[in-house]
């Protein structure tokens, strides 16, 4: 497994069910659309008064960590984990 | 009434959370290690453990034992979130539980078990609820006290359930090595071995006067532990706050340091971390302890008691410099720690001098900004290189209150 730090803003299409049920459906990174096949794990981090919702998602090949900043309503791709 | 205590112990917790994040890791030899180059393995998966990979080993040691070992960078934010989720599940069963560490808790099931017919049903319901809510497994031990419940939970891992009935306890303890009991560390185990005591059974029968001569008041506690006796109560999550005796932080440095400038710089950062936590919980401390660990792991502490309680970052920093000036470093430093003790709670500063009032106002303003934007959003220029990054969770971490340092 190889973990790469990215830390770039990304465009995400997400389904907002309820405050605790946010499901990223796809995201665009480097001009390429990645469909989220599975959300493996989610967790929330507090930074001051801001909540950062982390999503470990898979596009079927790699694992991506997306972060939603609930203060600015922006998404960021934090890490990519690739096999090998 | 006989007590029934459950000890809930998450299985290879950090590794299991990482496996949840990346299912491709499941079943593979996996180790979770700190973010720095020199940190040790904090948890390993059961597949890795079968190769002999253990907590506390260096990553290099682990790789030598298991060349295919996958090392994942530890992310305490994930684990503390998962820990809170587990404790929320426990809270849904009873308020009578005690978070013991990030991945362990005790539950007083004395009355609770009646609602579930028996202890086995209750334990299985708890295991099921934890798995459903978090996707993680745990092992549970049930026994008449905390000491034995903790011993029991380790008997059948992972995903196990061990119920110790009172009549089974003497035969179990007869052959249990003393080191398996919580509270008997390697040094005590070594000392007991030198006295010919290797099992709990022998410890429990050993003449008390000899144990007391060797260990002082701890001798009687050891004797009781050997017989499986423990009357310590469950410290419920909310009550536990009053038990806090100190507020501290320590940091393992990225490289060993010898120069005093770096040491004082780190002390400044630690002062801010300790002070922030103390101020958030409206406490101040009369005693400050500075802990130093050399590169050869020799560790020592120096402490000083002050006439007025320390609370602001500046007060703690200046006090730490006073202690540091009395220490002559003889080796490169690997770890530094600061701890505020002799605490007073509900402390409200009331400075008389205008200069002190200005300092208080500055501290308050800094705290408000960092409350709003996150830790170290605004701080002293000298701390900029010591930005508090992703750390390992301290064993004393708690999901709520003063022990919650995340």
């Amino acid at each position: 497994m190889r973990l790469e730090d990215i830390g770039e803003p990304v465009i995400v299409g997400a389904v907002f069910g309820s405050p605790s049920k946010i499901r990223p459906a796809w995201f665009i990174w480097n001009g390429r659309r990645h469909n989220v096949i599975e959300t493996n794990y989610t967790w929330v981090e507090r930074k001051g008064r801001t909540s950062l919702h982390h999503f470990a998602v898979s596009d079927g090949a790699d694992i991506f960590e997306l972060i939603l900043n609930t203060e600015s309503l922006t998404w960021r791709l934090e890490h990519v984990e690739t096999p090998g | 009434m006989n007590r029934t205590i459950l000890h809930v112990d998450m299985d290879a917790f950090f590794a299991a959370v990482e496996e949840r994040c990346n299912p491709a890791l499941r079943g593979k030899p996996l180790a979770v290690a700190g973010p720095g180059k020199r940190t040790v393995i904090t948890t390993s998966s059961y597949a890795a453990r079968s190769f002999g990979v253990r907590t506390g080993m260096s990553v290099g040691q682990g790789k030598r034992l298991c060349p295919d070992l996958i090392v994942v960078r530890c992310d305490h934010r994930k684990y503390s979130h998962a820990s809170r989720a587990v404790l929320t599940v426990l809270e849904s069963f009873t308020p009578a539980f005690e978070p013991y560490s990030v991945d362990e808790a005790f539950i007083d099931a004395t009355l609770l078990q009646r609602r579930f017919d028996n202890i086995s049903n209750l334990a299985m319901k708890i295991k099921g609820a934890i798995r459903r809510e978090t996707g993680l497994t745990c092992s549970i031990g049930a026994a008449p006290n905390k000491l034995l419940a903790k011993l029991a939970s380790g008997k059948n891992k992972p995903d196990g359930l061990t119920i110790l009935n009172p009549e089974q306890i003497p035969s179990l303890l007869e052959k249990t090595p003393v080191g398996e009991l919580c509270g008997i560390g390697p040094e005590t185990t070594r000392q007991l071995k030198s006295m010919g005591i290797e099992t709990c059974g022998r410890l429990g029968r050993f003449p008390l006067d000899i144990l007391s001569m060797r260990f002082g008041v701890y001798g009687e506690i050891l004797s009781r532990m050997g017989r499986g006796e423990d009357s310590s109560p469950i410290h419920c999550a909310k009550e536990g706050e009053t038990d806090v005796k100190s507020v501290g932080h320590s940091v393992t440095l990225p490289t060993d340091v010898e120069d005093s400038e770096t040491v004082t710089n780190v002390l400044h950062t630690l002062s801010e971390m300790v002070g922030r936590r103390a101020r958030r919980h409206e406490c101040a401390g009369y005693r400050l302890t500075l802990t130093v660990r050399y590169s050869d792991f020799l560790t020592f502490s120096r402490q000083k008691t002050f006439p007025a309680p320390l609370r602001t970052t500046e007060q703690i920093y200046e006090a730490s410099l006073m202690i540091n000036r009395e220490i002559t470093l003889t080796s490169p430093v690997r770890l530094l720690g600061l701890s505020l003790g002799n605490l007073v709670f509900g402390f409200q500063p009331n400075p008389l001098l205008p200069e002190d009032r200005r300092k208080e106002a500055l501290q308050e303003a800094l705290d408000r900004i960092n409350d709003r934007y996150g830790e170290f959003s605004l701080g002293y220029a000298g701390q900029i290189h010591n930005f508090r990054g992703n750390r390992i969770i301290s064993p004393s971490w708690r999901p709520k209150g003063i022990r919650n340092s995340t």
Side-chain angles (χ1 to χ4, degrees), chain A residues 47-50, chain B residues 272 276 365-380 383-384 387-388:
Chain A
K47 192 176 179 198
R49 268 192 267 158
T50 306
Chain B
E272 168 71 356
R276 277 281 288 162
L366 280 170
D367 284 348
R368 277 207 304 273
I369 289 167
N370 288 325
D371 285 343
R372 172 71 183 80
Y373 295 102
E375 299 304 314
F376 291 97
S377 295
L378 187 63
Y380 296 89
Q383 297 172 0
I384 203 156
F387 175 73
R388 184 183 161 216

Side-chain angles (χ1 to χ4, degrees), chain B residues 116-161:
Chain B
F116 296 84
D117 294 336
N118 55 52
I119 195 67
S120 173
N121 273 352
L122 169 62
M124 292 310 287
K125 292 268 186 215
I126 291 172
K127 283 164 69 70
I130 289 175
R131 187 194 281 267
R132 203 167 44 249
E133 293 300 318
T134 67
L136 303 170
T137 64
C138 66
S139 297
I140 295 184
N145 59 47
K146 287 163 75 174
L147 179 80
L148 294 172
K150 187 158 165 55
L151 179 70
S153 69
K155 289 285 173 199
N156 188 14
K157 276 183 141 300
D159 204 13
L161 168 61

Side-chain angles (χ1 to χ4, degrees), chain A residues 4 11 13 16 22 28-30 34 36 38 40-42 44 47-48 52 55 65 71 77-78 83-84:
Chain A
E4 197 181 337
I11 296 169
F16 286 72
I22 305 166
I28 295 172
W29 177 49
N30 279 345
H34 299 257
V36 173
E38 197 170 356
N40 298 324
Y41 197 66
T42 63
V44 183
K47 192 176 179 198
L52 300 174
F55 302 85
E65 185 181 325
E71 181 87 357
L77 173 62
E78 189 74 349

Side-chain angles (χ1 to χ4, degrees), chain A residues 36-79:
Chain A
V36 173
I37 305 295
E38 197 170 356
T39 298
N40 298 324
Y41 197 66
T42 63
W43 68 101
V44 183
E45 175 198 2
R46 299 284 303 180
K47 192 176 179 198
R49 268 192 267 158
T50 306
S51 290
L52 300 174
H53 291 251
H54 294 247
F55 302 85
V57 302
S58 165
D59 66 352
D62 300 321
I63 304 290
F64 302 86
E65 185 181 325
L66 297 168
I67 302 178
L68 169 65
N69 181 322
T70 53
E71 181 87 357
S72 60
L73 292 178
T74 52
W75 289 84
R76 201 171 77 221
L77 173 62
E78 189 74 349
H79 306 293

Side-chain angles (χ1 to χ4, degrees), chain B residues 202-356:
Chain B
R202 179 140 172 79
L203 176 61
R205 287 190 301 273
F206 205 79
L208 180 57
D209 50 346
I210 303 177
L211 282 175
S212 297
M213 241 176 357
R214 181 74 177 257
F215 296 98
V217 287
Y218 188 48
E220 190 181 342
I221 297 170
L222 282 173
S223 177
R224 296 185 67 227
M225 287 169 83
R227 293 189 296 276
E229 295 169 11
D230 171 29
S231 56
S232 59
I234 296 286
H235 298 282
C236 297
K238 288 180 180 106
E239 293 168 11
E241 291 301 292
T242 54
D243 292 342
V244 174
K245 295 200 169 49
S246 65
V247 177
H249 277 285
S250 64
V251 60
T252 299
L253 306 169
T255 53
D256 296 339
V257 297
E258 289 181 272
D259 65 300
S260 60
E261 193 185 338
T262 309
V263 169
T264 54
N265 219 322
V266 173
L267 289 178
H268 204 173
T269 302
L270 286 169
S271 302
E272 168 71 356
M273 291 161 76
V274 171
R276 277 281 288 162
R277 201 134 63 94
R279 292 190 296 276
R280 198 178 297 137
H281 298 281
E282 292 186 352
C283 70
Y286 284 94
R287 191 180 62 233
L288 188 70
T289 305
L290 168 59
T291 301
V292 178
R293 178 173 294 157
Y294 287 146
S295 52
D296 61 0
F297 280 78
L298 176 78
T299 308
F300 61 93
S301 295
R302 297 285 180 274
Q303 63 181 42
K304 222 176 193 24
T305 300
F306 295 86
L310 310 172
R311 182 179 160 278
T312 66
T313 299
E314 192 182 336
Q315 288 166 344
I316 298 169
Y317 177 52
E318 284 177 2
S320 74
L321 293 182
M322 281 174 71
I323 302 171
N324 187 42
R325 273 194 286 273
E326 292 171 12
I327 298 173
T328 307
L329 297 175
T330 55
S331 286
V333 175
R334 178 186 171 88
L335 172 144
L336 284 167
L338 278 184
S339 172
L340 207 52
N342 205 352
L343 299 177
V344 279
F345 285 88
F347 182 78
Q348 295 290 339
N350 189 18
L352 293 173
L353 300 174
E355 175 67 10
D356 291 342

